[in-house]
Amino acid sequence: MLVLSRRKGESVMLGDNIEIQILHASGGQVRLGIRAPKELAVLRGELFSSVRQGNHEAAQMALDAAEVTELGKLLKKKGQD
Amino acid sequence: MQTQTTQGKPGSIVVKTLRFGDVEVPSAERITLLRALAGFPDTKTLVMLTLADQAPFHWLQSVEQPPVAFAVLPVELVRPGYTLKLPPWDRGLWDRQSSPEILALISFQRDATMNLAAPLLLDPRHRVALQVMNQAGYGLKEPLFGEAAARPQVAATA
């Protein structure tokens, strides 16, 4: 990982069209300003991680075909209630 | 990387899968992901498999990765009135006139849950799909059974 020190108001460029600026830093918290092309996803790291984790859980073998059949029956039953 | 397909009959491919064995699917039914699903950068193409007696569930099987398959459910069946609010980067990628089919990924840990915060949009006609970050305030793990929370769970905002 590249590590840089920056002061308030200074920025870092990623390539030529992504800029991350330090707006404010105090009490263990840093406020960032991010300028990036609008098609680029900018997400808090933990949100991206939770989506990735959710996808991995969805792809796990824990859910097998027989269970899906049972879930389908339950859903249909619920629909008729 | 090596693609896990071989030629089947003309106009079809054979997809190797861990769950379902080798499955022959018409080539035209392949679904191209506009962006890889988070955590699955090697899967670019999916096929939808519907097993007998499993309606309304479908499987989205990775063409490139035999062990990877997602059980999905059309959101409208379980959450009528489900709304989408896409962030700018998703709106930029999902630049389509027709309204998409919206599919929720199902996971089964202790309970069956569905991911309504990051659903998969599918354009069935052009065979493209995109997992989006819905910013309308739904949860990553909403119960498949039981009432929808009166108030949406913690919003998955950027």
Side-chain angles (χ1 to χ4, degrees), chain B residues 71-87:
Chain B
V72 297
L73 184 68
V75 170
E76 60 180 10
L77 294 180
V78 276
R79 286 291 188 280
Y82 177 82
T83 53
L84 272 180
K85 187 177 169 221
L86 300 187

Side-chain angles (χ1 to χ4, degrees), chain B residues 72-114:
Chain B
V72 297
L73 184 68
V75 170
E76 60 180 10
L77 294 180
V78 276
R79 286 291 188 280
Y82 177 82
T83 53
L84 272 180
K85 187 177 169 221
L86 300 187
W89 56 86
D90 283 337
R91 278 203 305 274
L93 260 181
W94 193 262
D95 180 20
R96 314 202 146 254
Q97 300 298 321
S98 54
S99 53
E101 279 181 26
I102 307 174
L103 302 168
L105 273 63
I106 305 300
S107 75
F108 197 72
Q109 304 290 316
R110 265 166 307 180
D111 302 301
T113 60
M114 55 187 169

Side-chain angles (χ1 to χ4, degrees), chain B:
Chain B
M1 69 174 286
Q2 192 190 348
T3 302
Q4 297 286 343
T5 57
T6 49
Q7 203 64 41
K9 288 192 289 247
S12 70
I13 54 165
V14 174
V15 181
K16 294 190 183 305
T17 82
L18 189 59
R19 279 187 176 79
F20 317 108
D22 289 3
V23 183
E24 191 159 348
V25 180
S27 309
E29 288 187 10
R30 279 176 296 188
I31 297 165
T32 302
L33 283 168
L34 295 176
R35 178 180 59 217
L37 273 77
F40 294 90
D42 294 330
T43 289
K44 323 256 187 234
T45 319
L46 301 168
V47 288
M48 188 179 283
L49 306 177
T50 307
L51 272 63
D53 75 15
Q54 287 200 346
F57 291 93
H58 305 278
W59 291 89
L60 287 174
Q61 166 70 47
S62 165
V63 171
E64 292 87 359
Q65 297 180 281
V68 176
F70 303 95
V72 297
L73 184 68
V75 170
E76 60 180 10
L77 294 180
V78 276
R79 286 291 188 280
Y82 177 82
T83 53
L84 272 180
K85 187 177 169 221
L86 300 187
W89 56 86
D90 283 337
R91 278 203 305 274
L93 260 181
W94 193 262
D95 180 20
R96 314 202 146 254
Q97 300 298 321
S98 54
S99 53
E101 279 181 26
I102 307 174
L103 302 168
L105 273 63
I106 305 300
S107 75
F108 197 72
Q109 304 290 316
R110 265 166 307 180
D111 302 301
T113 60
M114 55 187 169
N115 181 349
L116 295 184
L120 206 75
L121 308 188
L122 170 68
D123 178 338
R125 205 167 132 223
H126 300 98
R127 313 301 295 172
V128 295
L130 178 69
Q131 186 178 31
V132 296
M133 292 300 309
N134 188 2
Q135 299 189 314
Y138 296 95
L140 282 161
K141 290 191 175 190
E142 297 221 8
L144 191 48
F145 301 103
E147 296 306 308
R151 287 182 50 175
Q153 298 179 8
V154 179
T157 51

Side-chain angles (χ1 to χ4, degrees), chain A residues 4-43:
Chain A
L4 296 171
S5 289
R6 301 274 64 198
R7 292 177 190 284
K8 185 179 159 187
E10 294 179 339
S11 67
V12 174
M13 295 295 299
L14 307 183
D16 55 10
N17 57 2
I18 301 168
E19 181 179 15
I20 300 172
Q21 191 176 19
I22 312 302
L23 299 178
H24 186 75
S26 76
Q29 198 174 38
V30 179
R31 199 166 174 80
L32 302 174
I34 298 162
R35 198 172 282 128
K38 68 176 182 354
E39 64 275 14
L40 196 76
V42 179
L43 293 171

